[in-house]
Amino acid sequence: MLLKFLNIQQDLLAYGTMMYNFLQWPISLLSGLVISPLLTIMMTHLYYNQKFKKEGYDISLKLNKIKKDYEKGQLCEGNQYGDTN
């Protein structure tokens, strides 16, 4: 019915092949403009993540965070009991 509406005199396989060829260009264009940069960004992120783990930089960041949280906890406990310096 769609083929009659569009006045297409070809068989369904030839029409499908033709539509695949027409749709292949926008799909490859979208892939090149969207997926490729995202892939590059994710690979870079993975590289630096592994590098930080290998060098132990993530451990020092976690220790600094724990130290700051501990100091904040000590400060809050001191203010809770009325210590004003």
Coordinates of all heavy atoms in Angstrom, one line a residue:
M1 N 0.8 -1.2 0.0 CA 0.0 0.0 0.0 C 0.9 1.3 0.0 O 0.6 2.2 -0.7 CB -0.9 0.0 1.2 CG -1.9 1.1 1.3 SD -3.0 0.7 2.6 CE -4.3 1.7 2.2
L2 N 1.9 1.2 0.8 CA 2.9 2.4 0.8 C 3.6 2.6 -0.5 O 3.8 3.7 -1.0 CB 3.9 2.2 2.0 CG 4.9 3.3 2.1 CD1 4.2 4.6 2.5 CD2 5.9 2.9 3.2
L3 N 3.9 1.4 -1.1 CA 4.6 1.5 -2.4 C 3.6 2.1 -3.5 O 4.1 2.8 -4.3 CB 5.1 0.1 -2.8 CG 6.2 -0.5 -2.0 CD1 6.4 -1.9 -2.4 CD2 7.4 0.3 -2.0
K4 N 2.4 1.7 -3.4 CA 1.4 2.3 -4.4 C 1.2 3.8 -4.1 O 1.1 4.6 -5.0 CB 0.1 1.5 -4.3 CG 0.1 0.2 -4.9 CD -1.2 -0.5 -4.8 CE -1.1 -1.9 -5.4 NZ -2.4 -2.6 -5.3
F5 N 1.2 4.2 -2.8 CA 1.0 5.6 -2.5 C 2.2 6.4 -3.0 O 2.0 7.5 -3.5 CB 0.8 5.7 -1.0 CG 0.7 7.1 -0.5 CD1 -0.5 7.8 -0.8 CD2 1.8 7.8 0.1 CE1 -0.6 9.2 -0.4 CE2 1.7 9.1 0.5 CZ 0.5 9.8 0.3
L6 N 3.4 5.9 -2.9 CA 4.6 6.6 -3.3 C 4.8 6.4 -4.8 O 5.8 6.9 -5.4 CB 5.8 6.2 -2.5 CG 5.8 6.5 -1.0 CD1 6.9 5.9 -0.3 CD2 5.7 8.0 -0.8
N7 N 4.0 5.6 -5.5 CA 4.1 5.3 -6.9 C 5.4 4.7 -7.3 O 6.1 5.2 -8.2 CB 3.8 6.6 -7.7 CG 3.5 6.3 -9.2 OD1 3.2 5.2 -9.5 ND2 3.6 7.3 -10.0
I8 N 5.8 3.7 -6.5 CA 7.1 3.0 -6.7 C 6.8 1.7 -7.5 O 5.9 0.9 -7.1 CB 7.8 2.7 -5.4 CG1 8.2 4.0 -4.7 CG2 9.0 1.8 -5.6 CD1 8.7 3.8 -3.4
Q9 N 7.4 1.5 -8.6 CA 7.2 0.4 -9.5 C 8.2 -0.7 -9.3 O 8.3 -1.6 -10.1 CB 7.1 0.8 -10.9 CG 6.1 1.9 -11.2 CD 4.7 1.4 -11.0 OE1 4.4 0.2 -11.2 NE2 3.8 2.3 -10.5
Q10 N 9.0 -0.7 -8.3 CA 10.0 -1.7 -8.1 C 9.6 -2.7 -7.0 O 8.6 -2.4 -6.3 CB 11.3 -1.0 -7.5 CG 11.9 0.0 -8.5 CD 13.1 0.8 -7.9 OE1 13.4 0.6 -6.8 NE2 13.7 1.6 -8.7
D11 N 10.3 -3.8 -7.0 CA 9.9 -4.8 -6.0 C 10.4 -4.3 -4.6 O 11.2 -3.4 -4.5 CB 10.4 -6.2 -6.3 CG 11.9 -6.2 -6.4 OD1 12.5 -5.2 -6.6 OD2 12.5 -7.4 -6.3
L12 N 10.0 -5.0 -3.6 CA 10.3 -4.6 -2.2 C 11.8 -4.7 -1.9 O 12.3 -3.8 -1.2 CB 9.5 -5.4 -1.2 CG 9.4 -5.0 0.2 CD1 8.9 -3.6 0.3 CD2 8.6 -5.9 1.1
L13 N 12.5 -5.7 -2.3 CA 13.9 -5.9 -2.1 C 14.7 -4.8 -2.7 O 15.6 -4.2 -2.0 CB 14.4 -7.2 -2.6 CG 15.8 -7.6 -2.3 CD1 16.1 -7.6 -0.8 CD2 16.2 -8.9 -2.9
A14 N 14.4 -4.4 -3.9 CA 15.1 -3.3 -4.5 C 14.8 -2.0 -3.8 O 15.8 -1.1 -3.6 CB 14.7 -3.2 -6.0
Y15 N 13.6 -1.8 -3.4 CA 13.3 -0.5 -2.7 C 14.0 -0.5 -1.3 O 14.5 0.5 -0.9 CB 11.8 -0.5 -2.5 CG 11.3 0.8 -1.8 CD1 11.4 2.0 -2.4 CD2 10.8 0.7 -0.5 CE1 11.0 3.2 -1.7 CE2 10.4 1.8 0.2 CZ 10.5 3.1 -0.4 OH 10.1 4.2 0.2
G16 N 14.0 -1.6 -0.6 CA 14.7 -1.7 0.7 C 16.2 -1.4 0.5 O 16.8 -0.7 1.3
T17 N 16.8 -2.0 -0.5 CA 18.2 -1.7 -0.8 C 18.5 -0.2 -1.1 O 19.5 0.3 -0.6 CB 18.7 -2.6 -2.0 OG1 18.4 -3.9 -1.7 CG2 20.2 -2.4 -2.2
M18 N 17.6 0.4 -1.9 CA 17.7 1.8 -2.2 C 17.6 2.6 -0.9 O 18.4 3.6 -0.7 CB 16.7 2.2 -3.2 CG 16.8 3.6 -3.7 SD 15.5 4.0 -4.9 CE 14.0 3.9 -4.0
M19 N 16.7 2.3 -0.1 CA 16.5 3.1 1.2 C 17.7 2.9 2.1 O 18.1 3.8 2.8 CB 15.2 2.7 1.9 CG 14.0 3.1 1.1 SD 13.9 4.9 0.7 CE 13.9 5.6 2.3
Y20 N 18.2 1.7 2.1 CA 19.4 1.4 3.0 C 20.6 2.3 2.5 O 21.3 2.9 3.3 CB 19.8 0.0 2.9 CG 21.1 -0.3 3.6 CD1 21.2 -0.3 5.0 CD2 22.3 -0.5 2.9 CE1 22.4 -0.6 5.6 CE2 23.5 -0.8 3.5 CZ 23.5 -0.8 4.9 OH 24.7 -1.1 5.5
N21 N 20.8 2.4 1.2 CA 21.8 3.2 0.6 C 21.6 4.7 0.9 O 22.6 5.4 1.2 CB 22.0 3.0 -0.9 CG 22.6 1.7 -1.2 OD1 23.3 1.1 -0.4 ND2 22.2 1.1 -2.4
F22 N 20.4 5.2 0.9 CA 20.1 6.6 1.2 C 20.3 6.9 2.7 O 20.7 7.9 3.1 CB 18.7 7.0 0.8 CG 18.5 7.2 -0.7 CD1 17.4 6.7 -1.4 CD2 19.5 7.8 -1.4 CE1 17.3 6.9 -2.7 CE2 19.4 8.0 -2.8 CZ 18.3 7.5 -3.4
L23 N 19.9 5.9 3.5 CA 20.0 6.1 5.0 C 21.4 5.9 5.5 O 21.7 6.3 6.6 CB 19.0 5.2 5.7 CG 17.6 5.5 5.5 CD1 16.7 4.5 6.2 CD2 17.3 6.9 6.1
Q24 N 22.2 5.2 4.8 CA 23.6 4.9 5.2 C 24.4 6.2 5.4 O 25.2 6.3 6.3 CB 24.3 4.0 4.2 CG 25.6 3.5 4.7 CD 26.2 2.5 3.7 OE1 25.6 2.3 2.6 NE2 27.3 1.9 4.0
W25 N 24.2 7.2 4.5 CA 25.0 8.4 4.6 C 24.7 9.2 5.9 O 25.6 9.6 6.6 CB 24.8 9.3 3.4 CG 25.6 10.5 3.4 CD1 26.9 10.7 3.1 CD2 25.1 11.8 3.7 NE1 27.3 12.0 3.2 CE2 26.2 12.7 3.6 CE3 23.9 12.3 4.1 CZ2 26.1 14.1 3.9 CZ3 23.8 13.7 4.4 CH2 24.9 14.5 4.3
P26 N 23.5 9.5 6.2 CA 23.2 10.2 7.5 C 23.7 9.5 8.7 O 24.1 10.1 9.7 CB 21.7 10.4 7.5 CG 21.2 10.1 6.2 CD 22.2 9.3 5.5
I27 N 23.5 8.1 8.7 CA 24.0 7.4 9.9 C 25.5 7.4 10.0 O 26.0 7.6 11.1 CB 23.5 5.9 9.7 CG1 22.0 5.9 9.9 CG2 24.2 5.0 10.7 CD1 21.4 4.5 9.6
S28 N 26.2 7.4 8.9 CA 27.7 7.5 9.0 C 28.1 8.9 9.4 O 29.1 9.1 10.1 CB 28.3 7.0 7.7 OG 28.0 7.9 6.7
L29 N 27.3 9.9 9.0 CA 27.6 11.3 9.3 C 27.4 11.5 10.8 O 28.2 12.1 11.5 CB 26.8 12.2 8.5 CG 27.0 13.7 8.8 CD1 28.4 14.1 8.3 CD2 25.9 14.5 8.0
L30 N 26.3 11.0 11.4 CA 26.0 11.1 12.8 C 27.1 10.3 13.6 O 27.5 10.8 14.7 CB 24.6 10.5 13.1 CG 23.5 11.4 12.8 CD1 22.2 10.7 13.0 CD2 23.5 12.7 13.5
S31 N 27.5 9.2 13.1 CA 28.5 8.4 13.8 C 29.8 9.2 13.8 O 30.4 9.2 14.9 CB 28.7 7.1 13.1 OG 29.8 6.4 13.6
G32 N 30.1 9.8 12.8 CA 31.4 10.6 12.7 C 31.3 11.8 13.6 O 32.3 12.2 14.2
L33 N 30.2 12.5 13.7 CA 30.1 13.7 14.4 C 29.8 13.5 15.9 O 30.1 14.4 16.7 CB 29.0 14.6 13.8 CG 29.4 15.1 12.4 CD1 28.2 15.9 11.8 CD2 30.6 16.0 12.4
V34 N 29.1 12.4 16.3 CA 28.7 12.3 17.7 C 29.4 11.1 18.4 O 30.0 11.4 19.4 CB 27.2 12.0 17.7 CG1 26.7 11.7 19.1 CG2 26.4 13.2 17.1
I35 N 29.4 10.0 17.8 CA 30.0 8.8 18.5 C 31.5 8.9 18.5 O 32.1 8.5 19.6 CB 29.5 7.5 17.8 CG1 28.0 7.4 17.9 CG2 30.1 6.3 18.4 CD1 27.3 6.3 17.2
S36 N 32.2 9.3 17.5 CA 33.6 9.3 17.5 C 34.2 10.3 18.5 O 35.1 9.9 19.3 CB 34.1 9.7 16.1 OG 33.8 8.7 15.2
P37 N 33.7 11.5 18.7 CA 34.2 12.3 19.8 C 33.9 11.8 21.2 O 34.8 11.9 22.1 CB 33.5 13.7 19.6 CG 33.1 13.7 18.2 CD 32.8 12.3 17.8
L38 N 32.8 11.2 21.3 CA 32.5 10.6 22.6 C 33.4 9.4 22.9 O 33.8 9.2 24.1 CB 31.0 10.1 22.7 CG 30.0 11.2 22.8 CD1 28.6 10.6 22.7 CD2 30.1 12.0 24.0
L39 N 33.7 8.6 21.9 CA 34.6 7.5 22.1 C 36.0 8.0 22.5 O 36.6 7.5 23.4 CB 34.7 6.7 20.8 CG 35.6 5.5 20.9 CD1 35.2 4.5 21.9 CD2 35.8 4.9 19.5
T40 N 36.4 9.1 21.9 CA 37.8 9.7 22.2 C 37.8 10.2 23.6 O 38.7 10.0 24.4 CB 38.1 10.8 21.2 OG1 38.0 10.3 19.9 CG2 39.5 11.4 21.5
I41 N 36.7 10.9 24.0 CA 36.6 11.4 25.4 C 36.6 10.3 26.4 O 37.3 10.4 27.4 CB 35.3 12.3 25.5 CG1 35.5 13.6 24.7 CG2 35.1 12.6 27.0 CD1 34.2 14.4 24.6
M42 N 35.9 9.2 26.2 CA 35.8 8.1 27.1 C 37.2 7.4 27.2 O 37.6 7.0 28.3 CB 34.7 7.2 26.7 CG 33.3 7.8 26.9 SD 33.0 8.5 28.5 CE 32.9 7.1 29.5
M43 N 37.9 7.2 26.1 CA 39.2 6.6 26.1 C 40.2 7.4 26.9 O 41.0 6.9 27.6 CB 39.7 6.3 24.7 CG 38.9 5.3 23.9 SD 39.0 3.7 24.7 CE 40.6 3.2 24.2
T44 N 40.1 8.7 26.7 CA 41.0 9.6 27.5 C 40.7 9.5 29.0 O 41.6 9.5 29.8 CB 40.9 11.1 27.0 OG1 41.1 11.1 25.6 CG2 41.8 12.0 27.7
H45 N 39.4 9.5 29.3 CA 39.0 9.4 30.7 C 39.5 8.1 31.3 O 40.0 8.1 32.4 CB 37.5 9.5 30.8 CG 37.0 9.5 32.2 ND1 37.2 10.5 33.1 CD2 36.3 8.5 32.9 CE1 36.6 10.1 34.3 NE2 36.1 8.9 34.1
L46 N 39.4 7.0 30.6 CA 39.8 5.7 31.0 C 41.3 5.7 31.2 O 41.8 5.2 32.2 CB 39.4 4.6 30.1 CG 39.8 3.2 30.4 CD1 39.1 2.8 31.7 CD2 39.5 2.3 29.2
Y47 N 42.1 6.3 30.3 CA 43.5 6.4 30.4 C 44.0 7.1 31.7 O 44.8 6.6 32.4 CB 44.1 7.1 29.2 CG 45.6 7.4 29.3 CD1 46.6 6.5 29.2 CD2 45.9 8.8 29.6 CE1 47.9 6.8 29.4 CE2 47.3 9.1 29.7 CZ 48.2 8.1 29.6 OH 49.6 8.4 29.8
Y48 N 43.4 8.3 31.9 CA 43.8 9.0 33.1 C 43.4 8.4 34.4 O 44.1 8.4 35.4 CB 43.3 10.5 33.0 CG 44.2 11.3 32.1 CD1 43.7 11.8 30.9 CD2 45.5 11.6 32.5 CE1 44.5 12.6 30.1 CE2 46.3 12.4 31.7 CZ 45.8 12.9 30.5 OH 46.6 13.6 29.7
N49 N 42.2 7.7 34.4 CA 41.8 7.0 35.5 C 42.8 5.9 35.9 O 43.1 5.7 37.1 CB 40.4 6.4 35.3 CG 39.8 5.9 36.5 OD1 40.2 6.2 37.6 ND2 38.8 5.0 36.4
Q50 N 43.2 5.1 34.9 CA 44.1 4.0 35.1 C 45.5 4.6 35.6 O 46.2 4.0 36.4 CB 44.2 3.1 33.9 CG 43.0 2.4 33.6 CD 42.6 1.4 34.7 OE1 43.4 0.8 35.3 NE2 41.3 1.4 34.9
K51 N 45.9 5.7 35.0 CA 47.2 6.3 35.3 C 47.2 6.8 36.8 O 48.1 6.5 37.5 CB 47.5 7.5 34.4 CG 48.8 8.1 34.6 CD 49.0 9.3 33.7 CE 50.3 10.0 34.0 NZ 50.5 11.2 33.1
F52 N 46.1 7.4 37.2 CA 46.0 7.8 38.6 C 46.0 6.7 39.6 O 46.7 6.7 40.6 CB 44.7 8.7 38.8 CG 44.8 10.1 38.2 CD1 43.7 10.8 38.1 CD2 46.0 10.6 37.9 CE1 43.7 12.1 37.5 CE2 46.1 11.9 37.3 CZ 44.9 12.6 37.2
K53 N 45.3 5.6 39.2 CA 45.4 4.4 40.1 C 46.7 3.8 40.1 O 47.2 3.4 41.2 CB 44.3 3.4 39.6 CG 42.9 3.7 39.9 CD 42.0 2.6 39.5 CE 40.6 3.0 39.8 NZ 39.7 1.9 39.4
K54 N 47.4 3.7 39.0 CA 48.8 3.1 39.0 C 49.7 3.9 39.8 O 50.6 3.4 40.5 CB 49.2 3.0 37.5 CG 50.6 2.3 37.4 CD 51.0 2.3 35.9 CE 52.3 1.6 35.8 NZ 52.8 1.6 34.4
E55 N 49.7 5.3 39.7 CA 50.6 6.1 40.4 C 50.2 6.3 41.9 O 50.9 7.0 42.6 CB 50.7 7.5 39.7 CG 51.4 7.3 38.3 CD 51.4 8.6 37.6 OE1 50.9 9.7 38.1 OE2 52.0 8.6 36.5
G56 N 49.0 5.9 42.3 CA 48.6 6.1 43.7 C 48.0 7.4 44.0 O 47.8 7.8 45.2
Y57 N 47.8 8.2 43.0 CA 47.3 9.6 43.2 C 45.9 9.6 43.8 O 45.5 10.4 44.6 CB 47.3 10.4 41.9 CG 46.9 11.8 42.1 CD1 47.7 12.7 42.8 CD2 45.8 12.4 41.5 CE1 47.4 14.0 43.0 CE2 45.4 13.7 41.6 CZ 46.2 14.5 42.4 OH 45.9 15.8 42.5
D58 N 45.1 8.6 43.4 CA 43.7 8.5 43.9 C 43.7 8.2 45.4 O 42.8 8.7 46.2 CB 42.9 7.4 43.2 CG 43.5 6.0 43.3 OD1 44.7 5.9 43.5 OD2 42.7 5.1 43.2
I59 N 44.7 7.5 45.9 CA 44.8 7.2 47.3 C 45.1 8.4 48.1 O 44.5 8.7 49.2 CB 45.8 6.1 47.6 CG1 45.4 4.8 47.0 CG2 46.1 5.9 49.1 CD1 46.5 3.7 47.0
S60 N 46.0 9.3 47.6 CA 46.3 10.5 48.3 C 45.1 11.4 48.3 O 44.9 12.1 49.3 CB 47.5 11.2 47.7 OG 47.3 11.6 46.4
L61 N 44.3 11.5 47.3 CA 43.1 12.3 47.2 C 42.1 11.8 48.3 O 41.5 12.6 49.0 CB 42.5 12.3 45.9 CG 43.2 13.1 44.8 CD1 42.5 12.9 43.4 CD2 43.3 14.5 45.1
K62 N 42.0 10.5 48.4 CA 41.0 9.9 49.3 C 41.5 10.2 50.8 O 40.7 10.5 51.6 CB 40.9 8.4 49.1 CG 40.1 8.1 47.9 CD 40.0 6.6 47.7 CE 39.3 6.2 46.4 NZ 39.3 4.8 46.1
L63 N 42.8 10.1 51.0 CA 43.3 10.4 52.4 C 43.1 11.9 52.7 O 42.8 12.2 53.9 CB 44.8 10.0 52.4 CG 45.1 8.5 52.4 CD1 46.6 8.3 52.4 CD2 44.5 7.9 53.7
N64 N 43.3 12.8 51.8 CA 43.1 14.2 52.0 C 41.6 14.4 52.4 O 41.3 15.2 53.2 CB 43.5 15.0 50.8 CG 45.0 15.1 50.7 OD1 45.7 14.9 51.7 ND2 45.5 15.5 49.6
K65 N 40.7 13.8 51.7 CA 39.3 13.9 51.9 C 38.9 13.4 53.3 O 38.2 14.0 54.0 CB 38.5 13.2 50.8 CG 37.0 13.4 51.0 CD 36.2 12.8 49.8 CE 34.8 13.1 49.8 NZ 34.0 12.5 50.8
I66 N 39.5 12.3 53.6 CA 39.2 11.7 55.0 C 39.7 12.6 56.1 O 39.1 12.9 57.1 CB 39.8 10.3 55.1 CG1 39.1 9.3 54.2 CG2 39.8 9.8 56.5 CD1 39.8 8.0 54.1
K67 N 40.9 13.2 55.8 CA 41.5 14.1 56.8 C 40.6 15.3 57.0 O 40.4 15.8 58.1 CB 42.9 14.5 56.3 CG 43.6 15.4 57.3 CD 45.0 15.8 56.7 CE 45.7 16.8 57.6 NZ 47.0 17.2 57.1
K68 N 40.1 15.9 55.9 CA 39.3 17.1 56.0 C 37.9 16.8 56.7 O 37.4 17.5 57.5 CB 39.0 17.6 54.6 CG 40.2 18.3 54.0 CD 39.8 18.8 52.6 CE 41.1 19.4 51.9 NZ 40.8 19.9 50.5
D69 N 37.4 15.6 56.4 CA 36.1 15.2 57.0 C 36.4 15.0 58.5 O 35.5 15.3 59.3 CB 35.6 13.9 56.4 CG 35.0 14.1 55.0 OD1 34.8 15.3 54.6 OD2 34.9 13.1 54.2
Y70 N 37.5 14.4 58.9 CA 37.8 14.2 60.3 C 38.0 15.6 61.0 O 37.4 15.7 62.1 CB 39.1 13.4 60.4 CG 39.5 13.2 61.9 CD1 38.8 12.2 62.7 CD2 40.6 13.8 62.4 CE1 39.2 12.0 64.0 CE2 40.9 13.6 63.7 CZ 40.2 12.7 64.5 OH 40.6 12.5 65.8
E71 N 38.6 16.5 60.3 CA 38.8 17.8 61.0 C 37.5 18.6 61.1 O 37.2 19.2 62.1 CB 39.8 18.7 60.1 CG 41.2 18.2 60.2 CD 42.2 18.9 59.3 OE1 41.7 19.7 58.4 OE2 43.4 18.6 59.3
K72 N 36.6 18.4 60.1 CA 35.3 19.0 60.2 C 34.5 18.4 61.4 O 33.8 19.1 62.1 CB 34.5 18.8 58.9 CG 34.9 19.8 57.8 CD 34.1 19.5 56.5 CE 34.6 20.3 55.4 NZ 33.8 20.1 54.2
G73 N 34.6 17.1 61.5 CA 33.9 16.4 62.6 C 34.4 16.8 63.9 O 33.7 17.0 64.9
Q74 N 35.7 17.0 64.1 CA 36.3 17.5 65.3 C 35.8 18.9 65.6 O 35.5 19.3 66.8 CB 37.9 17.5 65.3 CG 38.4 16.1 65.2 CD 38.2 15.4 66.5 OE1 38.3 16.0 67.6 NE2 37.9 14.1 66.5
L75 N 35.8 19.8 64.6 CA 35.3 21.1 64.7 C 33.9 21.2 65.2 O 33.5 21.9 66.1 CB 35.5 21.9 63.4 CG 35.2 23.4 63.5 CD1 36.2 24.1 64.4 CD2 35.4 24.0 62.1
C76 N 33.0 20.3 64.6 CA 31.6 20.3 64.9 C 31.4 19.8 66.4 O 30.6 20.3 67.1 CB 30.9 19.4 64.0 SG 30.7 20.1 62.3
E77 N 32.2 18.8 66.8 CA 32.1 18.3 68.1 C 32.5 19.4 69.1 O 31.9 19.5 70.2 CB 32.9 17.0 68.3 CG 32.4 15.8 67.6 CD 33.3 14.6 67.8 OE1 34.3 14.7 68.5 OE2 33.0 13.6 67.2
G78 N 33.5 20.1 68.8 CA 34.0 21.2 69.7 C 32.9 22.3 69.8 O 32.7 22.8 70.9
N79 N 32.2 22.6 68.7 CA 31.2 23.7 68.8 C 29.9 23.1 69.5 O 29.2 23.9 70.1 CB 30.8 24.1 67.4 CG 31.9 25.0 66.8 OD1 32.7 25.5 67.5 ND2 31.9 25.1 65.5
Q80 N 29.7 21.8 69.5 CA 28.5 21.2 70.1 C 28.6 21.4 71.6 O 27.6 21.6 72.2 CB 28.4 19.8 69.7 CG 27.2 19.1 70.2 CD 27.2 17.6 69.7 OE1 28.1 17.1 69.2 NE2 26.1 17.0 70.0
Y81 N 29.8 21.3 72.2 CA 29.9 21.4 73.6 C 30.1 22.8 74.1 O 30.5 23.0 75.3 CB 31.0 20.4 74.1 CG 30.6 19.0 73.8 CD1 31.4 18.2 72.9 CD2 29.5 18.4 74.5 CE1 31.1 16.9 72.7 CE2 29.2 17.1 74.2 CZ 30.0 16.3 73.3 OH 29.7 15.0 73.1
G82 N 30.0 23.8 73.3 CA 30.1 25.2 73.7 C 31.5 25.7 73.7 O 31.8 26.7 74.4
D83 N 32.4 25.1 73.0 CA 33.8 25.6 73.0 C 33.8 26.8 72.0 O 33.5 26.7 70.9 CB 34.8 24.5 72.4 CG 35.0 23.4 73.5 OD1 34.7 23.7 74.6 OD2 35.5 22.4 73.0
T84 N 34.2 27.9 72.5 CA 34.3 29.1 71.7 C 35.7 29.7 71.9 O 36.0 30.1 73.0 CB 33.3 30.2 72.0 OG1 33.3 30.5 73.4 CG2 31.9 29.7 71.6
N85 N 36.6 29.6 70.9 CA 37.9 30.1 71.0 C 38.1 31.4 70.3 O 37.6 31.7 69.3 CB 38.9 29.1 70.5 CG 38.9 27.8 71.4 OD1 38.6 27.9 72.6 ND2 39.3 26.7 70.9

